[in-house]
Amino acid sequence: MATFIPPDLWDLLGALIVSTISGVVSISRRVIHGQQASLLWVVSEFFSAILCGYLMYSAYPFIHDDVPKWFTMPVAIAVAAHIGGRVFQEIESNFCKYIPLFDRRKS
């Protein structure tokens, strides 16, 4: 008896796998370059990669006709997942720089 898994579920699982791999690559690169790893930082990197990857997975059908042929869904998800972590860090840095109320880091 074969179980039937809908194609949308396979697509979603693929998006989550690509996003997770992007998170692992990002975290590994930063640890190799000397950043101290903490559980909170690792979890936030993974979640930001998965969130941005999922958002691209949801948006890709709408932009599909406007992007080059080589920019397939897995490529789009990987790019979004990788850039997503950087964007969240930049937003946090700007909030802390321009609005001191948000800066809770130890001096």
Side-chain angles (χ1 to χ4, degrees):
M1 183 171 160
T3 60
F4 177 74
I5 299 177
D8 289 346
L9 183 59
W10 281 116
D11 289 345
L12 178 61
L13 289 174
L16 292 175
I17 290 169
V18 169
S19 299
T20 302
I21 291 170
S22 178
V24 168
V25 168
S26 177
I27 291 168
S28 300
R29 259 188 70 226
R30 294 184 64 198
V31 167
I32 288 171
H33 286 101
Q35 176 155 347
Q36 293 289 337
S38 69
L39 180 62
L40 180 60
W41 174 67
V42 170
V43 168
S44 68
E45 281 287 317
F46 272 121
F47 281 141
S48 67
I50 289 171
L51 172 65
C52 292
Y54 178 74
L55 291 174
M56 179 54 79
Y57 165 77
S58 298
Y60 189 80
F62 300 105
I63 65 169
H64 164 211
D65 296 330
D66 300 326
V67 296
K69 294 263 188 238
W70 60 265
F71 199 68
T72 60
M73 185 183 284
V75 171
I77 291 168
V79 167
H82 184 70
I83 291 174
R86 308 290 79 68
V87 170
F88 282 129
Q89 290 170 7
E90 192 62 33
I91 290 170
E92 176 191 9
S93 175
N94 284 325
F95 267 123
C96 292
K97 185 187 306 180
Y98 297 112
I99 305 173
L101 175 66
F102 289 107
D103 192 3
R104 299 289 185 223
R105 297 175 289 182
K106 294 179 181 178
S107 300

